[in-house]
Amino acid sequence: MRLLTPFTMTALAASLLSAAHVNAADSVDLTMYYPVSVGGALTEVVDNLVAEFEAEYPDINVEAIYAGNYDDTRVRAMSAMEAGDTPQLSVMFSIDLYELLEQNAIVAFDDLVETEEEQEWLDSFYPGLMENGQLEGKTYGIPFQRSTIVLFWNKDAFEAAGLDPETPPENWAEMAEMAATVREASNGEQWGVMVPSTGYPYWMFQAFAYQNGHRLMSEDGTEVYFDDPAAVEALEYWVSLASEHNAMPDGTIEWGTLRQNFIEQSTAMMWHTTGNLTAVRSEADFDFGVAMLPMNTQRGSPTGGGNFYIFEDASKEEQRAAMTFVRWMTAPERAAAWSIETGYMGVSPAAYETDALQRYVEEFPPAAVARDQLEHGTAELSSYQGGRIRRALDNAVQAALTGQMTPQEALSQAQQEADGVLRRYAR
């Protein structure tokens, strides 16, 4: 059954209201690239938000261009810029900051702020979500579509395996043991746990490494630390879930199909973005829970997802209009509604103080897990030449999981590649 949407104004009604008030000659036109495939449920949500904004601000027109995944969005936005057709704003990976700055593509929000009220807005977000959007005291990215990795578990499967259905694993040892118990109790029909290793392997690995007390990169984006003993130990544990505990499938696990695997009960536990929360709630026909990720030496998850950016080449008038739109989209009421509709986090404490999100969390406590995990969060892996660095780590993780290399060999190779790429940025 589809959940009731918080967005009550339809796109058609908003468009009619907007059209009744707009004088095209006086309006500002904005183009926004957005990371979602055309025709998905998220496009309808964004379209309705844009229409509602245009009704409230009839002198600002926003064209949302849906550009595929995060990488597709960055490529399309940068290609448009190089072709002289720069968009005014975009939602892109929070970790795209260094690449965008290196190409002088974006403007700091600090340079657009003109009033105390605007400064208060800029200071209103969760600090943990701001880390990837800030550099040298300036803010370039505003959190919007943000997440942490959470543990989903099937309570029915736990009960069938003789486990307490209300108690998820607290640590690595418990997760391996519980997952193996589920696998054995199901006579091999159900896996105990799945952690995706395509799409964003580096993100999952960063969680394991951080839970083992290790941070993968420097704060200035010039160094990474992939082959530290704590990182190697973290990858060894991930590999062991299949090789030693028979609790997870061998080889790689697809990011894009894992949610369906969980809904179809192919696995009793999965690690995935909190952005899947609303979809799992809508589609699962069994009782499930959501918890913070299990710890080793400490709890932890990297943050993830997309930030709003405003482009440097936009005119001052367009930049101001773009900031008006970003402020509107991230206002507490909208942030609360967005969280309820999608499962992504409310990006500010004020969002969780709204009546809507307070009621939702009371009714559905898993909606607060990603927010609560921020206390144990860390910035997502980000560096100069980020795409090449992440690709080296992705390849290392997959090589270890498929048995082509040992974790030590794979991470040592990734470190060598990263060092070569980042050498010119050393300070």
Side-chain angles (χ1 to χ4, degrees):
M1 183 175 68
R2 177 172 169 77
L3 295 174
L4 291 176
T5 174
F7 305 115
T8 56
M9 179 179 288
T10 66
L12 177 59
S15 296
L16 291 173
L17 181 58
S18 179
H21 291 83
V22 170
N23 181 339
D26 298 330
S27 65
V28 178
D29 296 328
L30 302 178
T31 298
M32 175 183 68
Y33 282 88
Y34 192 88
V36 66
S37 298
V38 175
L42 213 54
T43 65
E44 181 181 345
V45 177
V46 175
D47 282 343
N48 286 348
L49 279 167
V50 167
E52 188 176 346
F53 170 80
E54 290 178 337
E56 191 170 333
Y57 291 88
D59 58 339
I60 302 175
N61 305 313
V62 181
E63 180 188 9
I65 297 178
Y66 302 111
N69 63 28
Y70 282 112
D71 289 332
D72 296 334
T73 303
R74 183 186 67 253
V75 169
R76 288 191 62 181
M78 300 310 288
S79 296
M81 186 182 75
E82 291 171 5
D85 191 23
T86 306
Q88 286 73 39
L89 73 161
S90 181
V91 173
M92 292 183 285
F93 252 151
S94 64
I95 54 177
D96 285 335
L97 177 65
Y98 292 103
E99 183 171 347
L100 295 170
L101 287 176
E102 202 168 12
Q103 299 189 45
N104 298 313
I106 53 176
V107 65
F109 280 84
D110 313 72
D111 298 338
L112 302 179
V113 164
E114 295 180 352
T115 67
E116 289 186 10
E117 181 187 8
E118 290 173 352
Q119 186 61 52
E120 289 175 2
W121 164 76
L122 193 59
D123 296 336
S124 69
F125 301 95
Y126 281 111
L129 297 179
M130 297 296 280
E131 286 185 84
N132 282 118
Q134 295 178 323
L135 186 66
E136 297 178 350
K138 287 201 169 186
T139 299
Y140 296 90
I142 296 296
F144 177 61
Q145 186 168 294
R146 298 304 302 273
S147 60
T148 61
I149 307 164
V150 294
L151 174 79
F152 295 79
W153 86 94
N154 182 328
K155 294 183 179 182
D156 293 354
F158 268 44
E159 187 169 20
L163 301 170
D164 182 351
E166 301 301 324
T167 305
E170 281 285 315
N171 54 52
W172 286 3
E174 287 184 2
M175 187 173 78
E177 181 180 353
M178 290 177 173
T181 297
V182 167
R183 180 67 174 166
E184 184 176 355
S186 70
N187 294 317
E189 294 297 317
Q190 185 179 46
W191 290 104
V193 63
M194 290 187 182
V195 179
S197 47
T198 69
Y200 312 101
Y202 73 86
W203 197 38
M204 298 293 151
F205 174 65
Q206 187 182 2
F208 281 116
Y210 194 66
Q211 291 154 18
N212 208 29
H214 180 61
R215 184 180 169 95
L216 288 180
M217 74 286 192
S218 64
E219 291 186 359
D220 63 0
T222 63
E223 293 182 312
V224 293
Y225 316 115
F226 295 161
D227 62 349
D228 184 272
V232 174
E233 185 180 30
L235 187 52
E236 288 172 345
Y237 171 76
W238 190 354
V239 170
S240 77
L241 292 172
S243 64
E244 295 178 26
H245 300 286
N246 191 33
M248 187 179 78
D250 287 321
T252 56
I253 294 172
E254 292 294 328
W255 168 277
T257 57
L258 179 51
R259 185 181 79 198
Q260 194 61 32
N261 290 340
F262 181 71
I263 289 168
E264 293 174 353
Q265 304 193 63
S266 298
T267 181
M269 290 182 278
M270 72 168 177
W271 288 30
H272 224 303
T273 169
T274 187
N276 275 321
L277 181 57
T278 300
V280 171
R281 188 185 186 196
S282 299
E283 298 171 23
D285 60 2
F286 53 87
D287 196 10
F288 73 95
V290 180
M292 295 186 199
L293 295 180
M295 64 180 288
N296 194 34
T297 65
Q298 64 180 26
R299 284 203 178 278
S301 168
T303 59
N307 283 347
F308 276 114
Y309 299 94
I310 294 178
F311 284 86
E312 179 74 41
D313 287 347
S315 70
K316 294 300 180 185
E317 183 184 25
E318 290 169 341
Q319 289 175 350
R320 289 292 303 171
M323 192 168 80
T324 297
F325 178 71
V326 174
R327 286 188 62 195
W328 188 90
M329 288 285 279
T330 56
E333 294 78 11
R334 247 83 58 192
W338 176 258
S339 180
I340 294 167
E341 182 75 9
T342 64
Y344 285 107
M345 295 176 57
V347 291
S348 65
Y352 288 91
E353 294 168 3
T354 62
D355 290 342
L357 199 46
Q358 283 185 342
R359 286 195 302 269
Y360 188 66
V361 168
E362 184 176 352
E363 171 201 350
F364 185 51
V369 171
R371 176 204 64 185
D372 295 344
Q373 192 169 235
L374 271 182
E375 181 182 345
H376 311 284
T378 185
E380 188 175 356
L381 176 62
S382 182
S383 68
Y384 287 99
Q385 299 292 314
R388 296 174 66 185
I389 301 302
R390 293 191 297 273
R391 186 158 50 253
L393 184 54
D394 286 347
N395 291 340
V397 168
Q398 292 177 344
L401 289 171
T402 56
Q404 299 174 52
M405 293 183 180
T406 67
Q408 178 69 69
E409 292 169 342
L411 291 174
S412 294
Q413 179 172 298
Q415 185 68 51
Q416 290 177 356
E417 291 180 31
D419 287 345
V421 171
L422 293 174
R423 188 170 293 118
R424 67 189 177 100
Y425 300 96
R427 298 182 179 181

